[in-house]
Amino acid sequence: MQYHQLGKSALHISEISYGCMSLGSDDAGNARLIQQAIDGGINFFDTADLYDHGQNEITLGKALQGKRQQVIIASKAGNQWRPDGSGWDWNPRREYILSSVEESLRRLNTDYIDLYQLHGGTLEDPTDETISAFETLVQQGKIRYYGISSIRPNVIRTFVERSHIVSVMMQYSLLDRRPEESAFPLLEQHDIGVLARGAVAKGLLVNKTPEPYLNYNADEVAQAAAAIQRLSTPDRSPAATALRYVLAQPAVTSAVVGMRTAQQVQDALAAARTTPLSATEIQQLQQVLPANKYEQHR
């Protein structure tokens, strides 16, 4: 497993990380998967207070008891569940962020979170207020660093200019190359790490029946999947090829992968061991379809 420094932070995280949203409700089963991942070299585990009404943080906290010094825990805040559980509302206010971290710390059964992320964001937010909450939490030692989870270039740009974020989590794959246009160059320039999710595009790049995705029609999605297949070998599965495409981007620090089964953990670990794509292979993949771009929130 390769490890990379996350932005300007002192965190060195595995290039394949665990997206815990995929975990189910079986605490014992989850603990086995997480231990398998740790044994394979994965040290970064990403959750959020939104996932499963906080139960995701609880099951992760249970699985990591006695292992806290081995791992890096990331969580997120900003989505507030309604009292009746019917849904959630966006709340980036300082008071809410400061109260949310207390609940996340309790559920995770830890006294600090390594990376605390704003789970979204708009230009209408009280951004300075939100940033001040994260800065306060760093000063209090409740979080070590903070970042955002957003695909909106204008929101990302605002936080780059006005905060000390060390990371941005965003969707990125061969079928979603929108970050390449402006987000990646900006984040590279400012030494802010990218946590890339969605590398296999909901399975469309590896094993799912082609269907429209973003601005691509089903035929175009099938072309991308075929290109991934062509570059796969007995030692490099289609999923590994899709992941290697994502990891080939210098801006990307780690690919966040959801894993529900022991086989999926094994496959992700195998992807980490495969040979990186060559420049020629990357070019072949990029020539299959024109790169898409963000149409909104620019």
Side-chain angles (χ1 to χ4, degrees):
M1 181 70 69
Q2 296 290 315
Y3 299 87
H4 305 294
Q5 183 176 352
L6 183 63
K8 301 185 193 76
S9 79
L11 304 175
H12 286 79
I13 69 174
S14 48
E15 67 176 3
I16 303 288
S17 48
Y18 208 122
C20 296
M21 184 173 72
S22 58
L23 295 173
S25 57
D26 177 4
D27 288 343
N30 292 340
R32 286 192 292 273
L33 292 175
I34 287 168
Q35 186 59 56
Q36 180 187 356
I38 292 171
D39 290 343
I42 291 174
N43 72 346
F44 185 85
F45 295 85
D46 177 78
T47 181
D49 59 3
L50 181 68
Y51 303 158
D52 200 15
H53 293 262
Q55 290 299 313
N56 196 262
E57 287 181 322
I58 290 173
T59 196
L60 178 62
K62 289 178 179 177
L64 294 179
Q65 284 312 292
K67 306 177 178 71
R68 186 65 184 94
Q69 300 309 309
Q70 298 173 246
V71 298
I72 295 166
I73 297 176
S75 194
K76 310 183 197 76
N79 293 293
Q80 185 173 15
W81 280 104
R82 297 177 194 136
D84 63 2
S86 63
W88 62 86
D89 299 301
W90 178 238
N91 188 350
R93 310 294 309 201
R94 173 182 168 86
E95 182 180 354
Y96 181 65
I97 299 292
L98 295 179
S99 64
S100 294
V101 79
E102 300 297 340
E103 292 302 308
S104 288
L105 289 169
R106 177 184 59 79
R107 287 189 291 260
L108 288 162
N109 198 14
T110 184
D111 55 4
Y112 68 96
I113 293 170
D114 297 286
L115 178 68
Y116 203 42
Q117 302 155 99
L118 183 66
H119 204 171
T122 73
L123 286 188
E124 290 70 50
D125 291 348
T127 303
D128 290 335
E129 181 181 327
T130 303
I131 292 168
S132 79
F134 283 101
E135 292 287 350
T136 295
L137 293 174
V138 171
Q139 291 162 11
Q140 293 174 341
K142 292 175 180 176
I143 68 173
R144 294 178 65 191
Y145 304 97
Y146 65 97
I148 61 170
S149 176
S150 177
I151 62 170
R152 297 182 173 191
N154 53 12
V155 171
I156 292 169
R157 198 158 47 242
T158 297
F159 274 85
V160 169
E161 292 168 355
R162 290 155 66 175
S163 78
H164 296 100
I165 57 169
V166 301
S167 65
V168 176
M169 179 176 286
M170 63 177 71
Q171 181 171 289
Y172 178 61
S173 72
L174 183 60
L175 284 173
D176 187 357
R177 293 175 56 196
R178 295 175 298 176
E180 293 178 9
E181 182 192 7
S182 63
F184 282 176
L186 176 69
L187 296 172
E188 268 196 278
Q189 177 187 344
H190 290 272
D191 195 13
I192 295 169
V194 172
L195 303 170
R197 58 179 177 82
V200 296
K202 297 182 177 178
L204 291 169
L205 286 172
V206 290
N207 55 17
K208 195 174 175 185
T209 302
E211 61 184 47
Y213 187 81
L214 297 178
N215 60 310
Y216 298 123
N217 61 36
D219 287 343
E220 290 170 323
V221 168
Q223 290 174 41
I228 291 282
Q229 186 69 48
R230 282 195 298 272
L231 290 185
S232 301
T233 67
D235 296 323
R236 189 173 69 202
S237 69
T241 303
L243 278 166
R244 278 290 160 200
Y245 175 78
V246 168
L247 291 171
Q249 277 288 341
V252 174
T253 306
S254 182
V256 183
V257 180
M259 300 170 248
R260 295 177 184 272
T261 66
Q263 184 60 52
Q264 288 174 346
V265 176
Q266 186 175 321
D267 290 346
L269 294 173
R273 295 190 295 268
T274 57
T275 306
L277 297 178
S278 67
T280 300
E281 290 174 321
I282 293 167
Q283 188 176 33
Q284 287 171 355
L285 290 174
Q286 291 180 333
Q287 288 174 341
V288 174
L289 298 173
N292 38 18
K293 297 182 178 181
Y294 288 114
E295 300 300 329
Q296 299 176 310
H297 311 293
R298 295 178 64 90

